Amino acid sequence: MRASNRLSAKGAAALGAGKHADGAGLWLVKDEPTRGKWILRVTVHGRRREMGLGAYPAVSLAEARKSADTARATVRAGLDPIKERQRAKREAARNLHVLNDIARDAFESRKAELKGDGKAGRWFSPLALHVLPKLGKLPVADIDQTDIRDCLAPIWHTKAETAQKAIGRLAICLKHAAALGLQVDLQATDKARALLGKPRHKPANIPALPWREVPAFYASLCDGTVTHLALRLLILTGVRSAPLRFMHISQVEGDVWTVPAAGMKGRVDATADFRVPLSDEALAVIEAAKAHAREGYLFPSVKKGVISDATMARLMERREMEARPHGFRSSLRDWLAEATDAPHDVAETMLGHVVGGSVERAYRRTDFLEQRRALLARWAKHVTGQSGQVVRMVQG
């Protein structure tokens, strides 16, 4: 009797219920005459193992023998064919993850680093609007530079800043996928940049009111409404609109307004609370705003929450001004450069910018509060039309 290949395709079909050996550990186990399953018995490291090779007759005798040969070769290599098959299935399953899933998982893992846990959607929106509609259903392992190029080419030159954000976020997603154990091309985004070329479009700066024209505009904000008061304090402090719009009475102590770290632009840093010295004019604006406060917020909207950035911008639009609220930061910075000799580090700190490298910041313990207090007091005088003289700063 042959040690292997005992069965024939015709003979296997005629067999009744029971266990039937083909030889060399391969068995056809029939539950009934018309159906059954293939079983391979092997010994791995002295342990007997039974490995299913598929249902009969869906898996033919020839296919079962071929699978059995592959499994026996694995055993001869000192490996367990069952574990190797399971490992291959896991790897295949990992590689089937689509970009939609990876992008959302990457976003979830980074929420704690983003302002407001990323609720504003600014981190995810470049992906959601420009990448996922085209690439979201692709397995992340299949995405290459040509896919990325074709996806972003329509906005690469016309919406350059948005395209740069989108490709940057996509690079983070690919790194996240690699950290999960997926086989991805981590250089795909860099290769796509090479294919797309240098963007022709240059992002325009936010229009700003020249600092010499700020006093006239400030004087026109005189009706005591929430919008007028918010714009006045925005001009006086040089902060971004978000922390100002969410300004709470509890953040003000004496003549210092402490903006929580979560309210500052960029990643959350437990040590990054930002102190804003308040001039007498700024304190007067805050006192007037208290009459409008709701739940402690100084600049509430008409219905609920706080006023939006668009509310202040629309006021300027209605006056047919090109300048926008955020531009008052540039007005202040230009005044510092042209009308004072404020040191660079002090001037940049006034706008909440990070100054110096990590080592330098670790050794510098000051936030230049007193120097900034003097400068903002002089800025308030300029804004209110009381003084136009050049400021001389003495570094302490």
Side-chain angles (χ1 to χ4, degrees), residues 242-287:
L244 181 127
R245 291 186 295 109
F246 286 92
M247 186 177 186
H248 196 274
I249 292 174
S250 63
Q251 296 171 359
V252 179
E253 185 174 349
D255 61 357
V256 175
W257 167 27
T258 301
V259 180
M264 297 299 292
K265 182 178 180 180
R267 296 183 176 179
V268 176
D269 180 341
T271 66
D273 289 352
F274 182 63
R275 297 191 298 171
V276 180
L278 298 168
S279 63
D280 290 342
E281 178 71 10
L283 288 169
V285 172
I286 291 172
E287 192 62 31

Side-chain angles (χ1 to χ4, degrees), residues 291-334:
H292 302 283
R294 185 171 64 228
E295 297 180 355
Y297 291 100
L298 291 172
F299 303 111
S301 67
V302 175
K303 294 182 179 179
K304 63 179 182 178
V306 299
I307 62 170
S308 67
D309 189 50
T311 301
M312 294 186 285
R314 279 196 293 268
L315 181 146
M316 302 176 77
E317 289 173 359
R318 286 195 298 270
R319 297 187 182 186
E320 298 182 351
M321 299 173 64
E322 291 186 5
R324 290 296 175 263
H326 189 81
F328 288 115
R329 289 167 54 79
S330 294
S331 305
L332 172 58
R333 188 63 181 87
D334 290 344

